[in-house]
Amino acid sequence: MSAPGSDADSQAVAARLSAWLRAPASWAHQCEECGRGAAFGFEDMRKTMHWFCSAHRASGEALLRAG
Ligand SMILES: [Zn+2]
């Protein structure tokens, strides 16, 4: 077992984590604006779900207001 907290270990963990976050397959939904992982879902007037990432969640909120 390698020393905990070594630079090599933390860099490897960070690389795996960032790869996981970038992979669309890691997310149940993709942002409708940029295609990245979408954490925020909005239901429009027709009960259709629209998904957006944190950077574009305002677009989802605008959808709700548009109705
Ligand atoms: Zn987005």
Side-chain angles (χ1 to χ4, degrees), residues 24-60:
S26 301
W27 295 77
H29 305 279
Q30 284 82 52
C31 174
E32 294 188 7
E33 299 261 344
C34 68
R36 284 186 289 191
F40 302 94
F42 300 87
E43 193 177 77
D44 70 10
M45 298 301 104
R46 298 172 180 173
K47 302 287 184 187
T48 300
M49 290 300 291
H50 300 270
W51 292 88
F52 298 91
C53 70
S54 57
H56 295 116
R57 63 185 293 187
S59 298

